[in-house]
Amino acid sequence: MRSLAGQVFLLQLAIVVLVVAAALAALVVQAQRDSTDDARGRTLAAAQAFALSPGIVAALNSPDPTAVLQPLAEAARKAGGVDAIIVYKLNGITLTHSDPGQIGKHVIGPYAQAAAGQPFTRTFQGSLGLSVISAVPVRDAHGSVVAIISCPVTVETVQQRVNRQVPVLIGSGAGALVIAVGGAGLVSRRLRRQTHGLGPVEMTRMYEHHDAVLHAVREGVLIIGDDGRLTLANEEARRLLDLPADAEGRHVADLGLEADLAWLLAARRSATDEVHLVADRLLAVNKRLAAPTGPAGSVATLRDTTELRALYGRAETARERLKLLYDAGGRIGTTLDVTRTAEQVAEVAVPRFAGIVTVDLREAVLRGEEPSGGSTAMRRVAAVGVREGHPFYPTDEPVRFGDTHPIAVGLAGGRAVLVPDLGASGSWRAQEPERARRILECGVHSLLVVPLRARGVVLGTVAFWRTETSPPFDEEDVSVAEELAAQAAVCIDNARRYTREHAMAVTLQRSLLPRELPEHTALETAYRYLPAQAGVGGDWFDVIPLSGARVALVVGDVIGHGLHAAATMGRLRTTVLNFSALDMPPDELLGRLDELVARIDAEEAADADGPGITGATCQYAVYDPVAGQVVTATAGHPGLAVVQPDGTACFPEVPICPPLGLGARLPFESSELTVPEGSRLVLYTDGLIEDRDRDLDVGLETLRTALAGPDRTPEATCEAVMQAMLPAQPKDDVALLVARTRRLDPTRIAEWDMPCEPAAVAPVRNACVRRLEDWGLEELTFSTELILSELITNAVRHGGEPIAVRLLWDQHTLICEVSDGSSTSPRPRIAKASDEGGRGLFLVARLAQRWGTRYTPTGKVIWAEQSLHDGATPVAADLGLTAFLSDVSDLEPS
């Protein structure tokens, strides 16, 4: 049964059995269905015939209906072949029945439909098996129903006729089965002889082998009979030997073959790789005798060694080119530097594709801009394969080619230019004949120029030069060079766009950072800022002069990189500058900044396309040179470092507060510390101490070591820290701010406490004038008297005790401060002509360079600054004042 013939026999046998069985089953089912239908028709016909018989109504109305109808019903039952004909009155009393014992009894049944005048037929499962009953009404002359006739019959009674037909059906099926099996056996026997008893798998495999040998292999196959006639030849053998169409069946000597090859094919001997010349081909012939495993004859195979050698050479060349393009995809574009990417293109192609490769790019590409126009002005950015003292244009120098030069032609036309023989190219030699002569003397003989095109824009050209024994470029080399240039152009364009965006971001960020730190008496400062390798970020710093010779130091960090982070940094820096002008304490300023960041983040989160702020940190410290005190507060930022005058570095503990914009609305805390003169305050961002390869504690300890050391200037401190801490390729921005503290000379500080009485104004004012004379500031006496008179008078009239006056003289300004115990602040207003007050603050604003209000825990301080240089403070003659205004006041409670 494993053979094909046996499987076919089983299949035919199974089909015949299934067909016969299905036919028998269909006949039986049809017979059963016909039996049921016959029972329905028989009962309904018998009931209707009896109900419509003459005299039935009269018999029902007779004194004894049963005596009249019972004989008639029995006769009708036998004639109709039903089990019974039963007559019921409408009250359910049985008048006739096949069982006399049931006559006169009350019957209950579903005869309401018949009583209503509608005959019906139903099938039910009774005690005798499946039965069919039909009921019809009996109508009188007026059409009224007077009785019901029902005829039941069992299906088994009707089916007995079918059962008598079953033996005939089975016999017919068995006969058909025997005939079919015999026919299938005869067919299988004949098929077994033709297939030699092989199974389907063996036959399929034999066919596949036959097809592969004759058609799929790239060798000619000849089957030659024992009489020397060609029995079979595949397509490859016909092609190699140029056989005629009717070659099969002819003797090999009559096929027009060379004599030695015809003799070899006809001889009864074997051959192995015998080479014969056929036309312009070298054929390797192998021949084997088919006997004793097959029929008499031989099989010969032919292989064209000439084409194989040429094909191998082409395949090797194609493999090398594909490997070159594959290597180029992995080596070109590993950086986002335009020049380095161009160098990688040249390095990939030398020496595998060309002896020398030069890359020239347009000037706009190197600046990150998109080139436009048809100018041939370019810059050579890469030259690989050249020797020392070469005659080619040097790198990093502008070059300009004539209109007929191959590089200029390729740049203008946007297509590859092939010059197989440079010695015969007049357009190439015309630009600089001497340089061209020297290039030819170096062994260069062939040139292929391919434009670097990306997104429809030509960025430059790449020139491939072949030297010495290398073959000249051909058309196949052009396709390889164009593919290589296409990969390089995409990478160069990506680097160009990155250069442009990076330059834009750096320009934006540097425009938002302070150009230079202001000089201040209280601090000597220095800073370092370095953007990340991957792009600019949101780090910033600031040194902000405050009132009372104080200075604010700020360092912040917006998480992320790119233009959005830089723009957000600019907004936060501007906000800090504005808040610091209000002289807020550090903790209150960070609280206001936190609200602003949360609002900005909510606004940008509402915009589905907006990147949003992912976090920001800030540290704000205020240094007072009078008291030598530092008040600092942080919002998720690393704390400041303090270097003592003896060189000891430490990290003072500061309250831990959350970053800005988290929406926690928690209050910020500040800390105070007093530092000696000459201490260095160091503020920095996390990019300086954090790195993926370095733990945070290790970074802090390294920073402590770098900061340690006495007698260092802030500039030297920045240099030492950057050398010790900065990685080779920083992943995050780095901002470092170092400030060395100074103390204001006590001899330049004057303070007076005064009672809250108008009579005390003049003595304090006179004392201030005498101190100015002691300091040699007589030119500021008049303006200072006016300012102090206004401020002290306001404090006496509208403020509260304690009242104090302080003068601070630093290198650039004279600061007048009046403090009192009230929290109300003065505000300028325009006075009417009839008002006695309302002009004093305008006078203060005119005399002072700056003025303002600073709140303290016990009240406020009104201050005014006068510049000591450049004539910034007006003198009395400039104001046109001839009298001293002693009691001018415009203070309005806020």
Side-chain angles (χ1 to χ4, degrees), residues 69 132 140 154 212 225 233 262 267 328 364 377 452 465 493 562 587 616 686 710 783 809 816:
L69 296 175
V132 177
D140 58 10
T154 59
L452 297 169
W465 312 75
D493 187 56
D587 53 348
D686 57 359
S783 59
W809 173 31
C816 302

Side-chain angles (χ1 to χ4, degrees), residues 308 416 446 672 715 718 794 829 846:
L308 288 176
S446 185
E672 300 179 0
E715 188 67 30
C718 288
N794 284 345
R829 66 180 178 86
R846 183 68 181 90

